[in-house]
Amino acid sequence: MAQRRVLITGAGSGLGQALAHRYARAGDKVACIDLDATRAELTRAALPGEGHLAMSANVGSDDAMEQVHERIAGEWGGLDVLVNNAGIATGGAMVDTTMAEWRNVLEINLLGVVRGCRLFLPGMIAAGRGQVVNTASFAGLAGAPSIMSYGVSKASVVALSEQLRAEVEPKGIKVSVLCPAFFRTNLLESWQGDPRLKSFAGKMMDTSPDTLEGVADRSFAAIERGEFLIMPTRNEPMRWRLKRWFPNLYFKQLLKLVKQRNPGH
């Protein structure tokens, strides 16, 4: 297989970093994009192989992402794989959210994906090949309470990916969307919203049966197979089937689970 040109946002840690290593081990060259320049460089320096890049950029900024696109165009001439992975975590009930929280999470989690696609898809379409991988979350499918702005932002990424798939697959471009549930990462470092929900999310991460390495392995394998909807954490495929096939039963079980985890509320 020819060496691919891969760009990953949020590559300084967590799933983005783990995917960077898997692409590099496959013989590809990887552009590691992260808000934190030091993290981006540390990831790049640890990758096997040659030709990797590190850049600092805020995916919530038009100018910053245009600068990334210009550098990639200048040094690589384009991309073969775009992984829109960067995002932030928020949480809280609708009545507890602020408009500032909504604007910020949508600017990063949703419009960050839009920016990546708008900038790099034209080159893939011209080449007649490529792959776009968008990191959403099972929160975007679950319909769970108290993660209002985060869940909506990730549901939007799922919807975007579905529509994008229909647009570009006939042009030779594959689209995948990752929907993991809780597993151990440093995502909560970016937390905005109700601090009580941050504590709950931390506990869910700590007790998750899934590890970062396991999630990354399953994600990468499914991406390489060209799968669209990828749920790389263990329990979510069955939960998704339950919701699709028996929505009322799923909703009742969801409310029961919420009550168990929040007694007295």
Side-chain angles (χ1 to χ4, degrees):
M1 184 183 295
Q3 185 183 49
R4 294 173 294 186
R5 301 159 298 177
V6 182
L7 183 146
I8 303 176
T9 64
S13 61
L15 183 58
Q17 184 181 72
L19 289 175
H21 279 273
R22 280 152 181 79
Y23 278 108
R25 290 202 296 263
D28 302 320
K29 54 184 179 181
V30 183
C32 304
I33 314 301
D34 200 89
L35 183 62
D36 187 314
T38 300
R39 285 182 172 179
E41 174 56 30
L42 288 173
T43 299
R44 185 209 64 79
L47 297 179
E50 298 180 349
H52 309 302
L53 302 175
M55 286 172 265
S56 172
N58 177 1
V59 299
S61 164
D62 294 348
D63 290 344
M65 289 304 294
E66 285 170 3
Q67 289 174 19
V68 169
H69 177 257
E70 289 175 5
R71 183 174 175 191
I72 292 296
E75 297 200 25
W76 286 0
L79 285 182
D80 300 295
V81 181
L82 168 66
V83 184
N84 291 307
N85 173 74
I88 61 172
T90 59
M94 175 63 82
V95 296
D96 297 324
T97 61
T98 65
M99 289 310 300
E101 176 186 316
W102 278 98
R103 291 188 182 98
N104 195 43
V105 71
L106 291 174
E107 192 72 68
I108 295 170
N109 288 5
L110 173 59
L111 296 184
V113 174
V114 172
R115 289 182 182 93
C117 291
R118 289 189 67 255
L119 289 166
F120 291 103
L121 267 174
M124 293 183 185
I125 292 171
R129 66 180 186 278
Q131 187 170 23
V132 176
V133 181
N134 297 325
T135 299
S137 167
F138 192 71
L141 303 172
S146 300
I147 51 169
M148 186 57 65
S149 59
Y150 182 76
V152 170
S153 74
K154 293 301 188 178
S156 300
V157 173
V158 175
L160 180 153
S161 302
E162 288 179 336
Q163 294 178 219
L164 183 65
R165 181 191 188 196
E167 281 191 11
V168 301
E169 188 158 305
K171 304 176 192 293
I173 300 162
K174 290 287 186 181
V175 176
S176 297
V177 60
L178 302 179
C179 293
F182 292 103
F183 65 99
R184 296 174 190 84
T185 69
N186 64 349
L187 178 63
L188 296 185
E189 289 180 5
S190 66
W191 182 269
Q192 298 177 20
D194 190 333
R196 295 170 297 179
L197 267 296
K198 180 179 180 180
S199 176
F200 170 77
K203 291 177 183 177
M204 294 296 291
M205 285 183 171
D206 291 340
T207 57
S208 170
D210 295 288
T211 65
L212 171 59
E213 293 302 308
V215 170
D217 283 341
R218 289 188 287 273
S219 297
F220 185 70
I223 292 166
E224 293 291 84
R225 291 192 295 267
E227 294 181 15
F228 171 66
L229 181 61
I230 301 170
M231 287 175 277
T233 44
R234 299 180 191 182
N235 296 324
E236 280 51 58
M238 183 54 67
R239 288 173 175 161
W240 176 233
R241 293 186 190 103
L242 179 63
K243 185 184 179 187
R244 291 292 300 272
W245 296 342
F246 306 100
N248 290 332
L249 176 60
Y250 172 86
F251 183 65
K252 289 178 182 178
Q253 291 193 356
L254 178 64
L255 293 183
K256 182 179 179 180
L257 181 63
V258 169
K259 186 175 181 179
Q260 289 173 345
R261 291 176 174 170
N262 299 279
H265 294 276

